[in-house]
Amino acid sequence: MSGVERGVGSAGPVEQGDGLAGLVERAEALAALRGAFEDSPGTGGSLVVLSGAVGTGKTALLRAWADRIGADADALVLTAAACRAERDLPLGVLEQLVRSPGLPPASAERALAWWDEEASATPGKTDASGTSANGTNANGTGAGQTGAGQTGVGQTSAGGEPVLAASALRGLCEVLRDLLAERPVVVAVDDAHHADAASLQCLLSVVRRLRSARLHVLFTEYAHQKAQNALLSSEFLHEPALRRIRLEPLSKAGVEALLARHLDERTAQDLTPAVHGMSAGHPLLVRALAEDHRAAAGAGEAYGRAVLSFLYRHETPVIQVARAIAALGAHAGPGPVGRLLDVDAASVERAVRQLTVAEVLHEGRLCHPAFAAAVLDGMPPEERRALHGRVADLLHEEGAPATEVAAHLVAADRTDAPWAVPVFQEAAQLALDEDQVETGVDYLRAAHQRCRDAAQRAAVVGALADAEWRLDPAKVLRHLPDPAAVASHTDPAAVAPQTAPAAVAPHTDPAPTATPTPTPTLIPTAPPLPTHLLWHGRVEEGLDAIGTLTGPGPNPAGAPPMNPADLDTPWLWGAYLYPGHVKERLGSGALSPQRSTPPAVTPELQGAGTLMNDLLHGGERDATEAAERALNRYRLGPRTIAVQTAALAALTYRDRPHRAAAWCDGLVAQADERNSPTWRALFTAWRALLHLRQGDPAAAEQRAETALALLGPKGWGAAIGLPLAAAVQAKAALGDVDGAAALLERPVPQAVFQTRTGLHYLAARGRYHLATGCHYAALCDFYACGTRMSSWGVDLPALEPWRLGAAEAYLALGEALLARQLVDGQLSLPTPADGRTWGMTLRLRAATSPAPARAELLDEAVAVLRESGDTFELARAVADQAVAVREGGEAERARLLARKAELLARRWGSAPAPATVPEPPERPGPATPDAELTSAERRVAELAAEGFTNREISRKLCVTVSTVEQHLTRIYRKLDVRRLDLQAALG
């Protein structure tokens, strides 16, 4: 069977009881080996070459088969392993065979004696110890010295070719013949393609001289390796006993079977597709991945080592080509690889062919990203950075996309390329457009590190701040000028980096609006970032920056000229957050004449002017239409987030929470898809506010807590009032006053109280005080909210109905006349007749009206609130309705209405809604034993029954007004009375 080659690898696992048990899909190869050993027609021995790609298990099969034959057939096994480093060592493989542990000592001594005898008879020849007869080594050095060519046995001819003397060859054959007379002899040489030519020549001579003997020679070779000698690919092919057995990589079934040897069956089955792709079926890599999975899921150190071992077994430049392909990715054609490595095309094609045959390269791409990563990770760091730098140069010259060039520039840590900054800017924009925000930020940071031009640096810092804001606004703080440096007009580099805005105690009540200061000149080295200054509570600096950018003078920090329309975004943020400040600036003449009116409309921000006017003044006729149009036309993005926030505000403050909620849900989803935690936090907080206005405090609480978790306090800046307000009001409505109190203990920036979100915060804090019976504290918060709304010119009922909250506090204090005045003031303001605010106003109007008029007002309030969809306020109105009906003598209907109010409140997880007008007792009298008052409560009740006000009671008892309010709340609950009925109830 001369020259026969068998391709094996598809048969099932081998089931053996020895070393063969670890082999998978090698049954056909073993059968071929067994046939060669047992059936050799015309000869007594065999010559087998196991060939295949690197890592297919040739060595494991050779060792297992040799061990098996040595045990089963009582054969003498002589082994040797060739290697690339000893390829030029004459007779190195033959020496390993002669010194095999299985060779009897007497036979080994006889074989080595022929070399010694030949060395003694011929000057210049070496003996078994490597020393020549004249006292020199084979390479001419003295005895005891070491030379580069020392081998220990053999010699070289005058032409430099290693040879073995005929007498020594005959002696070796005699030794083998004697051994073969006793038992079969197996000569196994691993990686024979690396064997030295002299050893192969000797083995060929032995095979020819001992054809009829039971000599079995087994080689392994890499079939696609270009051999340094021609013996394996020429002379041995003419031997009649030669058989070639080719090993192929494992199939998916084979990979699963091999994994099952190391992992449980279910895990092996689940991992097989991925492992087969990452290993290309090479057992070496499969075992490494199994080892990594046992340590930690995924490719790890063992896989990385195995990939490097796999590549190092190939000849140069295979590993270099693999690295180039891994780095170039989709651009890894033969031409670019050759130019990158400065290697000729033939060498590249040969390396590509070897990797393709090994099935780790498919259509010019490595078999798996993990394989490519392991190839690059195995490089020394300096070499890897240099490779990425060369790749960046090559791709830039070929006009590759900026994102691909930038990725290699970052990996190379290059700073010398003059085109690097523009490439990073373009790549960042492309990444941000694809919502790869973190990648875009990395590119802009790299660009910032390499900037040398002031104008270029200002543009990069602006883009970087906008991109980082999408992830966390707190990251932008380092780009803002230090407040102290701004105030003193000094170089900000000499001042320590700024910190977050100063915080105030939760109950601090700062002045409603700060007086505008003259516009200072911004520090030339600090690029203007008006939007971010406004977000972080630095309103005067933010408005100054807008004025500076639109003024006639040069822009600070070398910033490029700005189109006035490009400032629509900061103007809208200013109008939303700081309506009072912006109105003062627009009317004071502090801004440039061309910007003394609302901003121009940009293509992406149609309706921005209308929405800005509505935010500043309210009552804009086309605001609802403009809001719907802005929310419907454009995808959420950096250019549209301000106008979409303004649009939500327009709908919300017109008592259209359900319309706003539908749009807000879409914006939350878009923010999540676009990988912006900031956008998601902002619209989640808005959704919490809308849940409250839809009568769902439980959902509002959940959304508000999510929003607060998405951004830290520094990240929220001056807008933190929005999520805190929603969370506090929701918890108060659900009866969780302790949770609300914990939120109110958080310090908030002073700038919050100058913002629209601060109005929500003050109103929510007032609701908390109402829930805890601190009615005077509630009045302070509601009036603080109203004062700001009036001074800013945004006293709109649906923004925050502060009058209704204050009216509830007055009612609890027994001040019905004051409550009535506030409700009448609310009725005089323009309010949508079908909105929740109108329904709430009617409910409070009923509470401040005589009993005969209450029922009709409450019927109307219930109808409006039912239509508006605010179930929480509806439950409160129905509870008041139940009291009014009972006062009218309809006990059964009152009971049904009370039950309905309770069911409505529980529908959203809320506590039962308390009636604004408590139900009077049918027969006022002394307290029952179940409702006994404490001594402190009785003293307060007696003074209240005598007509003393809460403040007077606090002075008489030396306690706070808040303590008196809390006592009265418990007294009313225990006795089920109003303040006017206390005297009768106490008897």
Side-chain angles (χ1 to χ4, degrees):
M1 298 179 63
S2 176
V4 174
E5 179 171 351
R6 292 173 174 266
V8 297
S10 59
V14 176
E15 299 296 338
Q16 301 288 347
D18 51 19
L20 297 177
L23 303 178
V24 174
E25 289 190 341
R26 297 296 179 248
E28 188 175 343
L30 287 169
L33 286 171
R34 187 177 296 108
F37 183 80
E38 296 174 353
D39 182 18
S40 301
T43 67
S46 63
L47 176 60
V48 178
V49 177
L50 288 175
S51 67
V54 170
T56 50
K58 301 182 298 295
T59 299
L61 179 58
L62 178 142
R63 291 175 179 174
W65 174 249
D67 292 343
R68 181 67 179 273
I69 290 301
D72 292 357
D74 191 27
L76 172 63
V77 179
L78 308 178
T79 60
C83 66
R84 185 185 297 115
E86 296 183 358
R87 179 182 292 159
D88 297 326
L89 184 64
L91 299 172
V93 169
L94 190 60
E95 182 184 6
Q96 291 185 55
L97 293 172
V98 172
R99 296 184 184 278
S100 294
L103 186 66
S107 299
E109 290 177 4
R110 286 178 57 198
L112 294 174
W114 287 105
W115 274 277
D116 294 341
E117 182 179 343
E118 184 68 18
S120 300
T122 307
K125 293 184 179 180
T126 56
D127 58 18
S129 64
T131 305
S132 67
N134 60 10
T136 62
N137 290 327
N139 60 352
T141 60
Q145 295 175 300
T146 303
Q150 184 175 342
T151 66
V153 292
Q155 67 181 74
T156 59
S157 66
E161 295 295 332
V163 297
L164 186 65
S167 57
L169 182 59
R170 285 195 299 271
L172 180 60
C173 289
E174 289 181 8
V175 172
L176 287 174
R177 190 174 287 109
D178 292 343
L179 293 171
L180 289 166
E182 299 177 3
R183 53 179 176 165
V185 175
V186 176
V187 175
V189 180
D190 193 19
D191 287 340
H193 52 279
H194 289 316
D196 62 280
S199 295
L200 289 177
Q201 182 65 59
C202 181
L203 289 174
L204 179 62
S205 300
V206 168
V207 168
R208 289 173 175 173
R209 285 166 172 75
L210 301 176
R211 280 199 180 107
S212 60
R214 295 179 296 172
L215 177 64
H216 301 275
V217 180
L218 180 59
F219 293 148
T220 68
E221 69 163 358
Y222 176 33
H224 302 279
Q225 176 73 46
K226 183 178 180 181
Q228 297 297 314
N229 56 75
L231 291 173
L232 282 177
S233 58
S234 59
E235 297 296 327
F236 278 96
L237 292 178
H238 299 297
E239 289 301 307
L242 175 66
R243 297 190 185 187
R244 300 181 69 90
I245 302 174
R246 180 176 175 80
L247 300 186
E248 301 292 346
L250 301 178
S251 65
K252 283 188 178 181
V255 169
E256 181 177 347
L258 184 54
L259 286 174
R261 305 283 178 89
H262 305 276
L263 308 169
D264 62 87
E265 291 186 5
R266 178 61 182 271
T267 302
Q269 184 178 6
D270 293 342
L271 292 178
T272 293
V275 170
H276 186 266
M278 297 167 68
S279 67
H282 293 283
L284 170 71
L285 303 181
V286 175
R287 293 190 182 92
L289 287 167
E291 179 182 343
D292 283 336
H293 186 80
R294 288 197 300 268
E301 294 183 2
Y303 180 68
R305 291 193 301 268
V307 169
L308 291 182
S309 174
F310 172 84
L311 292 174
Y312 273 119
R313 295 183 190 183
H314 293 79
E315 292 290 332
T316 303
V318 170
I319 189 168
Q320 290 80 6
V321 169
R323 289 169 175 172
I325 292 173
L328 285 167
H331 300 276
V337 170
R339 291 195 297 275
L340 183 66
L341 300 176
D342 194 18
V343 175
D344 62 275
S347 298
V348 172
E349 290 177 1
R350 184 166 58 251
V352 167
R353 184 167 58 253
Q354 292 182 31
L355 292 171
T356 303
V357 169
E359 299 187 16
V360 296
L361 190 68
H362 303 284
E363 298 180 354
R365 302 292 296 272
L366 292 173
C367 61
H368 196 277
F371 189 96
V375 171
L376 294 176
D377 291 343
M379 298 180 67
E382 288 297 329
E383 291 184 19
R384 184 169 60 248
R385 285 194 288 269
L387 175 63
H388 281 295
R390 296 197 303 274
V391 171
D393 290 334
L394 178 64
L395 295 182
H396 179 66
E397 292 173 2
E398 295 190 347
T403 50
E404 299 182 19
V405 180
H408 290 289
L409 283 174
V410 170
D413 195 20
R414 287 277 301 274
T415 59
D416 56 342
W419 42 264
V421 173
V423 166
F424 276 126
Q425 289 177 289
E426 182 183 355
Q429 188 58 55
L430 292 172
L432 293 172
D433 289 343
E434 294 295 326
D435 301 324
Q436 300 171 7
V437 185
E438 293 184 355
T439 301
V441 167
D442 289 341
Y443 290 157
L444 288 170
R445 287 175 178 170
H448 184 250
Q449 293 173 357
R450 294 161 173 80
C451 283
R452 298 294 181 266
D453 177 75
Q456 189 181 60
R457 183 181 297 108
V460 169
V461 169
L464 176 58
D466 291 342
E468 288 179 331
W469 190 83
R470 291 172 64 173
L471 296 175
D472 184 355
K475 298 178 183 292
V476 183
L477 287 170
R478 62 192 179 93
H479 301 301
L480 302 181
D482 188 275
V486 173
S488 61
H489 290 197
T490 58
D491 182 0
V495 185
Q498 72 165 93
T499 58
V504 296
H507 291 271
T508 300
D509 188 17
T513 306
T515 303
T517 57
T519 302
T521 301
L522 292 183
I523 301 172
T525 55
L529 302 171
T531 297
H532 305 294
L533 289 167
L534 294 171
W535 179 268
H536 287 288
R538 296 165 62 173
V539 54
E540 298 299 339
E541 294 175 59
L543 296 177
D544 291 343
I546 297 176
T548 302
L549 290 172
T550 57
N555 287 333
M562 293 196 68
N563 186 327
D566 291 336
L567 292 171
D568 282 350
T569 293
W571 272 118
L572 281 167
W573 280 121
Y576 166 64
L577 289 171
Y578 308 99
H581 285 273
V582 172
K583 288 172 72 173
E584 288 180 4
R585 286 297 185 98
L586 288 174
S588 65
L591 297 175
S592 301
Q594 66 267 31
R595 297 303 287 166
S596 61
T597 57
V601 178
T602 63
E604 298 89 348
L605 304 179
Q606 291 187 15
T610 300
L611 292 172
M612 180 176 173
N613 272 329
D614 190 63
L615 288 172
L616 293 177
H617 308 289
E620 192 74 13
R621 185 176 55 183
D622 300 328
T624 301
E625 180 182 350
E628 295 274 3
R629 185 168 57 247
L631 291 166
N632 183 52
R633 283 188 177 182
Y634 302 111
R635 181 189 183 203
L636 176 63
R639 293 278 294 170
T640 61
I641 183 172
V643 73
Q644 288 170 325
T645 302
L648 281 181
L651 293 176
T652 303
Y653 301 150
R654 274 172 170 69
D655 259 348
R656 298 291 182 266
H658 291 282
R659 290 296 304 147
W663 290 114
C664 193
D665 287 337
L667 291 172
V668 171
Q670 287 187 57
D672 197 34
E673 292 171 359
R674 304 211 62 185
N675 298 320
S676 175
T678 301
W679 297 350
R680 183 183 172 202
L682 175 63
F683 292 119
T684 299
W686 261 107
R687 192 64 180 91
L689 178 66
L690 292 169
H691 276 305
L692 284 174
R693 298 187 176 210
Q694 290 177 294
D696 190 352
E701 179 187 35
Q702 182 180 5
R703 293 271 192 165
E705 290 177 347
T706 300
L708 289 169
L710 286 169
L711 292 180
K714 288 185 178 181
W716 272 108
I720 196 171
L722 181 62
L724 277 178
V728 168
Q729 186 170 339
K731 288 181 179 295
L734 294 170
D736 183 11
V737 293
D738 292 336
L743 290 173
L744 289 171
E745 289 176 359
R746 296 186 182 185
V748 295
Q750 184 178 5
V752 167
F753 298 99
Q754 303 177 45
T755 69
R756 196 182 305 261
T757 67
L759 302 177
H760 299 308
Y761 182 85
L762 289 170
R765 197 167 68 185
R767 294 287 175 188
Y768 160 77
H769 289 315
L770 283 179
T772 56
C774 302
H775 301 112
Y776 282 108
L779 283 173
C780 289
D781 282 330
F782 287 124
Y783 273 105
C785 178
T787 300
R788 284 164 172 77
M789 291 172 64
S790 298
S791 65
W792 297 346
V794 291
D795 193 2
L796 307 173
L799 173 56
E800 273 300 343
W802 65 272
R803 292 178 179 81
L804 300 184
E808 287 193 43
Y810 277 131
L811 285 173
L813 293 170
E815 304 286 354
L817 181 59
L818 293 175
R820 177 64 176 265
Q821 292 174 352
L822 287 171
V823 173
D824 289 344
Q826 180 85 1
L827 287 171
S828 66
L829 297 173
T831 306
D834 57 348
R836 61 185 290 274
T837 305
W838 181 249
M840 294 165 60
T841 305
L842 290 174
R843 182 178 70 82
L844 268 298
R845 174 69 168 166
T848 60
S849 298
R854 289 178 188 168
E856 184 177 353
L857 287 169
L858 286 172
D859 288 343
E860 186 179 354
V862 167
V864 172
L865 289 170
R866 182 182 294 111
E867 184 66 22
S868 73
D870 187 339
T871 310
F872 183 79
E873 288 296 332
L874 175 61
R876 302 184 73 194
V878 172
D880 285 359
Q881 194 179 30
V883 174
V885 167
R886 177 166 295 180
E887 289 178 347
E890 300 180 61
E892 182 60 23
R893 186 186 172 204
R895 185 182 66 79
L896 294 175
L897 287 172
R899 176 61 176 165
K900 180 180 179 181
E902 183 178 359
L903 293 176
L904 285 171
R906 290 179 177 176
R907 176 179 177 184
W908 300 114
S910 173
T916 304
V917 181
E919 178 185 354
E922 294 182 2
R923 292 183 298 275
T928 62
D930 291 337
E932 288 185 359
L933 303 178
T934 65
S935 58
E937 290 171 347
R938 177 165 287 278
R939 288 197 300 271
V940 171
E942 290 172 348
L943 290 172
E946 293 176 11
F948 291 100
T949 66
N950 290 358
R951 189 170 299 279
E952 291 171 337
I953 295 172
S954 69
R955 290 172 181 170
K956 284 181 175 293
L957 300 180
C958 298
V959 296
T960 64
V961 174
S962 175
T963 301
V964 173
E965 292 173 346
Q966 294 178 40
H967 281 318
L968 286 172
T969 299
R970 289 191 291 271
I971 291 167
Y972 298 153
R973 185 182 305 116
K974 287 182 178 181
L975 301 181
D976 196 16
V977 296
R978 291 180 296 177
R979 192 183 187 103
L980 297 178
D981 299 320
L982 276 175
Q983 189 170 16
L986 293 174

